[in-house]
Amino acid sequence: MAEGDGEDWDRFVRKSQGSTHCHLYGWRSVIESTFGHECTYLRAVHGGSLAGVLPLVRVRSRLFGHYLVSMPFLNYGGPLGSPAASAALVDAATALADDSGAELLELRSRGRLPVSVPVSHRKITVVRDLPPEADEFWDELKAKVRSQIRRPRKEGIEVRFGQDQVRPFHQVFSHHMRDLGTPPLPEAFFARAATAFSDSVWYGCAYLGDQPIAAGCAFRWNGELEMTWASALRQFNRVAPNMLLYWAFIERAIEVGLTLFNFGRCTPGGGTHRFKSQWGGRDETLWWYDYAAGGRGSTPSADGSGFGWGQRLWRRLPLSVARWIGPRIVKYIP
């Protein structure tokens, strides 16, 4: 294992099979500056050259536990490189988990890894190939979906893109998360991501007049656009602003020549999965590897069965209180 600079790391990531936006070195500064978590970016070197990388983040609290995660708050991570390098990196990570007393090492891989750590398929993503023209995509949608996209347009809703949409995005996102009973990530996290990845992160909001009522954050990577976060205000469900929001992201992705739209992580069979499936995509199983160093089987979830009481309480909080307290809690729920 060795240290090195971020440029060397990113060059390796960009040429590696199975790489994702979450592997980029810039996430280290985003996470350290936002949450103060310890980041350990492992490198495998062979013959003086970089042969593998593994970003790790330590998330530790008395209430939720002690974890090493690649990558927390994001959908993907895990080692990149040759099979030998990946195996060596995972060995180093499991040793680090054992030596530091972490309860769990979790590697959130997009695909299968050549390692012996137990794997979970509790999460999937939904993807759809993008044609050269938006009209072709539109014609392949079911009539009901097209109708749901037209409805918000008839109501005068429009979608705006740009780095200036970070704050409106977070206004919608944090409101939506409060209604779900889940603490939101802080606005600073998204603002720092916008700065670190200005050429590859898209923020878009659907507006009714001057009010943002649906919002999304997506990452562009290797011909793909992944909608990582998307939210809509419940009181506007009747006009389906989230449908127009997704369509605007899809249209924009096609316009710039991207070839795959990733609807993002979800739980198989859940409501979010059904929403994403209506766009005509296909499921892709995710490979999350969990080394239970301290006996815990998975990282905690704010919507898990053990925190039902917290959800009920959170939904009753005033929005301003939820926005203030939430980031202080969610930083420990990777």
Side-chain angles (χ1 to χ4, degrees):
M1 303 303 143
E3 287 297 322
D5 61 38
E7 291 184 3
D8 183 42
W9 178 289
D10 281 350
R11 279 194 297 270
F12 183 84
V13 168
R14 293 184 189 282
K15 70 179 184 181
S16 295
Q17 183 177 1
S19 66
T20 71
H21 195 280
C22 308
H23 287 95
L24 290 174
Y25 199 82
W27 284 110
R28 181 173 193 167
S29 63
V30 171
I31 289 174
E32 286 178 339
S33 59
T34 303
F35 304 109
H37 294 323
E38 172 192 338
C39 295
T40 302
Y41 273 44
L42 300 176
R43 305 165 188 254
V45 175
H46 180 72
S49 299
L50 195 57
V53 298
L54 172 58
L56 282 175
V57 179
R58 189 182 305 279
V59 181
R60 175 164 45 190
S61 71
R62 291 182 179 180
L63 178 60
F64 295 107
H66 179 185
Y67 309 95
L68 284 174
V69 187
S70 177
M71 288 286 288
F73 319 113
L74 302 172
N75 294 337
Y76 312 121
L80 296 177
S82 67
S86 294
L89 287 164
V90 173
D91 285 346
T94 56
L96 183 62
D98 288 334
D99 293 344
S100 63
E103 298 170 60
L104 183 76
L105 165 69
E106 184 165 82
L107 307 174
R108 299 176 175 179
S109 178
R110 180 86 179 257
R112 185 194 298 266
L113 295 175
V115 299
S116 58
V117 177
V119 66
S120 166
H121 297 306
R122 64 185 181 274
K123 297 295 182 181
I124 62 171
T125 190
V126 178
V127 300
R128 172 157 177 176
D129 296 318
L130 295 177
E133 301 293 336
D135 287 348
E136 184 178 344
F137 192 110
W138 178 266
D139 291 341
E140 293 174 356
L141 291 173
K142 294 181 179 179
K144 179 180 178 181
V145 175
R146 294 198 298 267
S147 175
Q148 289 176 318
I149 295 170
R150 293 189 185 104
R151 186 181 307 153
R153 282 177 169 167
K154 292 177 180 178
E155 296 286 339
I157 295 171
E158 63 174 7
V159 178
R160 305 172 195 168
F161 287 96
Q163 302 292 56
D164 61 342
Q165 298 303 309
V166 172
R167 175 152 291 179
F169 160 83
H170 193 262
Q171 290 174 353
V172 175
F173 171 75
S174 57
H175 193 156
H176 175 77
M177 297 299 282
R178 193 284 307 267
D179 291 347
L180 291 177
T182 302
L185 289 163
E187 183 180 334
F189 175 80
F190 298 103
R192 287 168 178 148
T195 300
F197 309 112
S198 59
D199 60 341
S200 56
V201 59
W202 295 2
Y203 289 95
C205 293
Y207 284 82
L208 181 60
D210 294 330
Q211 183 181 2
I213 61 174
C217 170
F219 293 98
R220 176 177 176 172
W221 182 254
N222 284 351
E224 175 180 332
L225 188 72
E226 182 195 33
M227 183 75 95
T228 309
W229 292 279
S231 306
L233 301 184
R234 286 183 174 177
Q235 59 266 44
F236 297 98
N237 280 355
R238 67 173 184 82
V239 293
N242 56 333
M243 297 297 292
L244 180 59
L245 178 79
Y246 269 82
W247 176 245
F249 272 89
I250 290 168
E251 272 192 312
R252 192 169 189 239
I254 293 173
E255 286 173 3
V256 299
L258 301 185
T259 57
L260 190 72
F261 193 90
N262 186 334
F263 289 87
R265 185 181 87 194
C266 58
T267 300
T272 303
H273 183 202
R274 291 190 293 273
F275 171 84
K276 295 173 180 181
S277 296
Q278 70 182 326
W279 295 88
R282 61 185 181 275
D283 296 348
E284 283 190 359
T285 300
L286 299 184
W287 297 71
W288 286 18
Y289 293 83
D290 296 312
Y291 172 70
R296 188 184 287 267
S298 64
T299 48
S301 170
D303 58 0
S305 59
F307 298 103
W309 59 270
Q311 284 185 292
R312 293 190 293 272
L313 174 63
W314 201 262
R315 293 188 189 106
R316 298 178 181 179
L317 289 179
L319 188 56
S320 59
V321 175
R323 284 173 171 159
W324 184 76
I325 298 176
R328 292 161 173 78
I329 298 173
V330 78
K331 65 182 290 185
Y332 300 117
I333 307 176

